């Protein structure tokens, strides 16, 4: 088994080989001539072969030295390539990024952010998975994605939640309801209308039901929808009043979001990772853009 070779010895060897001179190699490395000679002697001793033929006028590689020079150049080229790739990843010039996002954020906040991200970092390949909150957490736990973007939940377990922005819940009132430019509506008043909500398996629905129980409010939640876009279309058609996270309301809707008061309802959108995980430079830049947008 060959001994582990010091990188400094290989550098000295390459300098002597390329200059065909111990003196020039010493000058390039800013060391003394005896020091460079000692390094080459140490390398030859470790390898058990002579690497140079020395005469009073010339320094030439032995066959073993020629073979080592070829191998060392290949290794140095691979090392340089690796360092370049690492630096490019650090600068977010090249690489891959995979993350999961809850649909209410993916369909409203991500388009503008990812468009700008693609412009700034065209060398990054991005894969986005739109998942429900539960599936998103599982994808992060199984390390199928680098991180997730979704609501904070109380059960932290082995996951870290780093807040991005606060997302309040709002009401969408059907046309014809006496709106009168109002800015807020109470949860109790909302329940006098036919309520349209997202399905029970959503974290949002859990928050809503907890708020109703805590305030002693009875509500008919028999109209349930899986997608926010469907719920909004139903409100636009006049079926009833909708309750949604504000971020899920597209700018294109003709409806005006009204803040829910008494009680105020909201959720925190966060970056979700395995505990102790450090975002890659590419991931960190995307998260920073999302934070600024928040």
């Amino acid at each position: 088994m060959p001994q582990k070779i010091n990188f400094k010895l290989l550098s000295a060897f390459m300098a002597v080989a390329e200059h065909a001179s111990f003196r020039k190699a010493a000058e390039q490395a800013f060391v003394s001539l005896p020091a460079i000679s000692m390094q080459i002697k140490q390398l030859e001793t470790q390898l058990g072969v002579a690497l140079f033929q020395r005469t009073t006028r010339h320094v030439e590689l032995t066959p073993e030295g020629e073979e080592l020079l070829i191998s060392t150049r290949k290794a140095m080229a691979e090392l340089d390539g690796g360092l370049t790739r690492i630096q490019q990843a650090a600068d977010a010039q090249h690489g891959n990024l995979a993350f999961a996002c809850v649909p209410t954020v993916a369909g409203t906040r991500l388009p503008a952010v990812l468009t700008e991200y693609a412009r700034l970092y065209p060398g990054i390949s991005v894969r986005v998975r739109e998942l429900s909150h539960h599936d998103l957490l599982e994808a992060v736990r199984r390390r199928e994605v680098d991180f997730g973007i979704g609501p904070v939940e109380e059960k932290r377990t082995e996951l870290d939640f780093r807040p991005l922005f606060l997302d309040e819940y709002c009401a969408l009132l059907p046309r014809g309801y006496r709106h009168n430019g109002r800015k807020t509506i109470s949860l109790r008043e909302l329940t006098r209308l036919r309520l349209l909500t997202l399905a029970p398996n959503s974290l949002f629905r859990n928050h809503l039901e907890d708020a109703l129980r805590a305030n002693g409010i009875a509500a008919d939640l028999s109209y349930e929808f899986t997608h926010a876009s469907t719920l909004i279309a139903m409100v636009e058609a006049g079926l009833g009043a909708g309750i949604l996270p504000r971020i899920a309301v597209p700018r294109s809707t003709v409806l005006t979001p009204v803040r829910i008061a008494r009680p105020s309802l909201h959720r925190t959108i966060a970056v979700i990772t395995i505990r102790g995980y450090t975002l890659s430079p590419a991931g960190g830049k995307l998260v920073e853009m999302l934070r600024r947008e928040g």
Side-chain angles (χ1 to χ4, degrees):
M1 178 71 67
Q3 300 183 49
K4 292 184 179 179
I5 304 300
N6 190 299
F7 183 79
K8 183 185 293 186
L9 300 185
L10 288 176
S11 296
F13 164 73
M14 287 192 68
V16 175
E18 289 171 356
H19 290 287
S21 167
F22 279 77
R23 185 175 301 280
K24 290 181 180 178
E27 291 173 354
Q28 179 192 20
F30 300 101
V31 297
S32 66
L33 182 58
I36 204 83
S37 297
M38 181 64 69
Q39 289 173 340
I40 298 302
K41 183 63 176 176
Q42 184 178 350
L43 181 60
E44 289 178 326
T45 300
Q46 288 185 7
L47 294 176
V49 295
L51 299 173
F52 295 99
Q53 294 287 356
R54 304 165 178 82
T55 69
T56 55
R57 303 182 64 180
H58 298 288
V59 175
E60 296 180 352
L61 285 166
T62 63
E64 293 79 10
E66 290 279 6
E67 185 175 348
L68 179 60
L69 181 60
I70 293 171
S71 298
T72 304
R73 280 175 173 166
K74 288 180 180 178
M76 290 298 185
E78 182 63 27
L79 179 60
D80 287 343
L83 293 174
T84 298
R85 290 190 293 273
I86 291 170
Q87 187 61 58
Q88 288 175 338
D91 295 336
Q93 294 178 17
H94 293 281
N96 299 290
L97 181 62
F99 68 94
C101 188
V102 291
T104 51
V105 176
T108 55
R109 188 60 58 89
L110 278 187
V113 170
L114 284 183
T115 298
E116 178 66 6
Y117 188 84
R119 185 185 69 82
L120 295 173
Y121 310 107
I124 301 295
S125 175
V126 179
R127 181 168 62 91
V128 183
R129 295 181 62 185
E130 295 180 69
L131 300 173
S132 67
H133 183 66
H134 172 77
D135 292 340
L136 181 149
L137 298 183
E138 285 303 306
V140 173
R141 286 191 182 101
R142 293 194 295 263
R143 301 180 185 270
E144 296 172 358
V145 292
D146 300 321
F147 59 91
I149 299 171
V152 172
E153 69 168 25
E154 296 304 319
K155 299 176 183 178
R156 300 300 180 90
T157 62
E158 74 275 26
L159 301 179
D160 273 338
F161 294 79
R162 287 170 258 184
L164 279 174
F165 53 84
L166 202 67
D167 182 24
E168 67 177 0
Y169 296 160
C170 66
L172 292 177
L173 303 178
R175 287 176 292 182
Y177 185 77
R178 47 189 192 282
H179 188 279
N180 296 329
R182 67 193 303 171
K183 299 294 180 64
T184 64
I185 188 170
S186 71
L187 187 58
R188 189 174 296 277
E189 182 178 352
L190 262 178
T191 59
R192 298 187 188 123
L193 302 171
R194 181 184 291 119
L195 283 185
L196 316 181
T197 68
L198 295 178
N201 61 352
S202 66
L203 192 63
F204 158 77
R205 176 64 177 268
N206 295 340
H207 287 170
L208 175 59
E209 292 178 351
D210 289 344
L212 290 169
R213 280 193 297 269
N215 289 272
I217 301 173
D220 180 4
L221 303 180
S222 57
Y223 277 82
E224 302 169 351
F225 302 92
T226 302
H227 301 291
S229 58
T230 305
L231 187 152
I232 293 169
M234 296 299 171
V235 179
E236 290 176 341
L239 178 61
I243 302 180
L244 280 173
R246 181 175 289 271
I247 198 173
V249 181
R251 295 185 178 92
S252 59
T253 181
V254 297
L255 303 172
T256 302
V258 177
R259 187 168 62 86
I260 299 173
R262 301 188 308 276
S264 175
L265 303 175
H266 64 269
R267 63 180 181 171
T268 299
I269 300 298
V271 176
I272 306 168
T273 62
I274 290 288
R275 184 158 295 164
Y277 176 82
T278 301
L279 291 175
S280 68
K285 291 180 185 301
L286 177 64
V287 166
E288 184 55 36
M289 292 173 68
L290 281 166
R291 183 172 283 111
R292 288 199 301 267
E293 283 290 314

